[in-house]
Amino acid sequence: MSYQPIENYGIIGNMRTVALVGMNGSIDWYCYPHFDSPSLFGAILDDSKGGRFQISPDGDQVRHKQFYWPSTNILVTRFLLPDGIAELEDFMPVGLPAHSLRQRDGATLAPLPPGLQLRT
């Protein structure tokens, strides 16, 4: 996998830490449990050794769209494919323990089998 441009990342956080989520559904930067803690995922700095967590559909004809639900810090990544749309929501609830990084996925128009990739 190659590096993504910085503008392809959305940011989620809970006032203790943040994560960078790429338009491809990859969490490429996440420090735990605080901003100044060591990174758990650091693919934004080293693509081969940095580690990432990624949920994305398989296929070559995938288009991406990323936005925040209005007035929230819920980042929505949509995967647009010829036979349907898959959606991934990333957020960190405020007021819960720092390890409350959440990813939720669901198919919007058709069930799509996601490809799951975890590199540490």
Side-chain angles (χ1 to χ4, degrees):
M1 183 178 279
S2 62
Y3 292 102
Q4 295 187 71
I6 194 68
E7 63 266 17
N8 283 8
Y9 287 96
I11 189 168
I12 57 171
N14 63 1
M15 299 191 303
R16 292 185 200 106
T17 190
V18 296
L20 292 176
V21 182
M23 288 186 75
N24 63 353
S26 176
I27 298 173
D28 286 351
W29 181 257
Y30 178 46
C31 292
Y32 173 80
H34 303 288
F35 292 109
D36 59 351
S37 299
S39 63
L40 293 178
F41 302 121
I44 195 168
L45 301 177
D46 188 328
D47 187 55
S48 61
K49 297 180 185 176
R52 69 172 39 88
F53 182 81
Q54 182 175 357
I55 297 175
S56 64
D58 293 325
D60 296 331
Q61 298 178 351
V62 180
R63 291 183 301 132
H64 307 90
K65 182 177 181 175
Q66 202 172 54
F67 63 92
Y68 292 95
W69 283 120
S71 303
T72 73
N73 194 22
I74 298 174
L75 181 66
V76 178
T77 304
R78 286 197 177 146
F79 303 98
L80 311 167
L81 291 123
D83 56 349
I85 299 172
E87 191 172 272
L88 182 65
E89 296 177 357
D90 292 283
F91 58 97
M92 285 187 204
V94 175
L96 295 178
H99 64 275
S100 295
L101 172 67
R102 304 278 196 243
Q103 274 196 323
R104 211 168 49 180
D105 65 337
T108 305
L109 295 180
L112 301 170
L116 179 62
Q117 179 179 0
L118 174 61
R119 288 195 284 175
T120 57

